Amino acid sequence: MSTATYLAYDYPLLSMFWTMLWFFLWILWFILLFRIIVDIFRDDALSGWAKAGWLVFVILLPFLGVFVYVIARGKNMGRREIAQAREQQQQFDDYVRETAGGGHRSSADELKKLAQLRADGHISEDEYRRAKELVLSDHGPAGAKHEPTAPAAGA
C-alpha cells in the first residue's frame, strides 16, 4: 500500500470529529476575543486608562483576560451592542426620511417660507403674490415648484 492509504487508516473518524470540534472552539474563542476588544473601545463609560488596562490584560493573558472580562463586564456587552444597533438604525431612518422628504416640499411649506420672507422684508407684496400664484398653480418648467429667492443686497 501507498503512504496515503496508511494515513487514512491512521486517522480514524472519531479523531477527525475531535479535531473539527477543537478547531471550531478555537475559532469561536477568536471571535469572542475580537468582540471583547471591540466592546472595550465601544464602552463610553470606561476612561482611557481603564480601556488600556483591559486591552493589555486581554492581549497579554488572553484566556484569563477574556474569562475575567466576560464575568466582570459581560452582562452589559449585549446592552451596548443593542444600543449601538438601535442608534445606527435611527441614524439610517433619519437619513432616509431626510433624503426622501427633502426634495419635495409641500405647498404649505413653500407658502410658509414665502410669508416669512415677506414678513422679514426680503420680498415685496407684489413678489409675494406672484410667487404664491406659482406655488398654488404649480406651473413652471416641467411642473417643478419654484423656490423664491431673496433679492440681492442693495437692490
Side-chain angles (χ1 to χ4, degrees):
M1 282 196 213
S2 69
T3 309
T5 308
Y6 285 126
L7 268 175
Y9 286 117
D10 290 340
Y11 199 68
L13 189 61
L14 186 60
S15 294
M16 183 179 67
F17 286 136
W18 273 112
T19 302
M20 288 173 49
L21 176 70
W22 281 111
F23 184 70
F24 179 72
L25 291 175
W26 183 69
I27 289 175
L28 281 178
W29 184 83
F30 271 110
I31 291 171
L32 181 62
L33 176 68
F34 289 124
R35 285 188 63 169
I36 286 174
I37 291 172
V38 167
D39 187 65
I40 290 171
F41 286 107
R42 178 186 299 150
D43 191 6
D44 293 332
L46 286 176
S47 68
W49 287 106
K51 288 180 184 185
W54 274 113
L55 198 59
V56 167
F57 187 43
V58 166
I59 290 175
L60 292 181
L61 299 170
F63 291 109
L64 183 63
V66 166
F67 184 67
V68 170
Y69 189 87
V70 168
I71 289 174
R73 303 183 48 84
K75 188 175 187 178
N76 293 325
M77 279 178 65
R79 291 181 186 151
R80 283 188 289 275
E81 191 168 340
I82 289 171
Q84 183 190 21
R86 284 184 181 154
E87 182 181 335
Q88 285 178 343
Q89 184 65 40
Q90 183 64 37
Q91 288 174 354
F92 177 75
D93 291 344
D94 291 344
Y95 172 75
V96 168
R97 269 189 227 100
E98 179 183 321
T99 303
H104 305 291
R105 291 197 312 247
S106 68
S107 296
D109 291 336
E110 291 193 27
L111 288 174
K112 183 178 176 182
K113 186 174 181 180
L114 279 172
Q116 184 64 40
L117 286 171
R118 182 183 62 177
D120 292 342
H122 295 296
I123 60 174
S124 67
E125 186 66 35
D126 188 46
E127 291 171 324
Y128 171 75
R129 186 181 45 74
R130 284 192 310 239
K132 182 179 172 184
E133 288 174 7
L134 280 173
V135 168
L136 293 177
S137 66
D138 199 28
H139 287 309
K145 295 183 179 183
H146 294 287
E147 187 171 319
T149 57

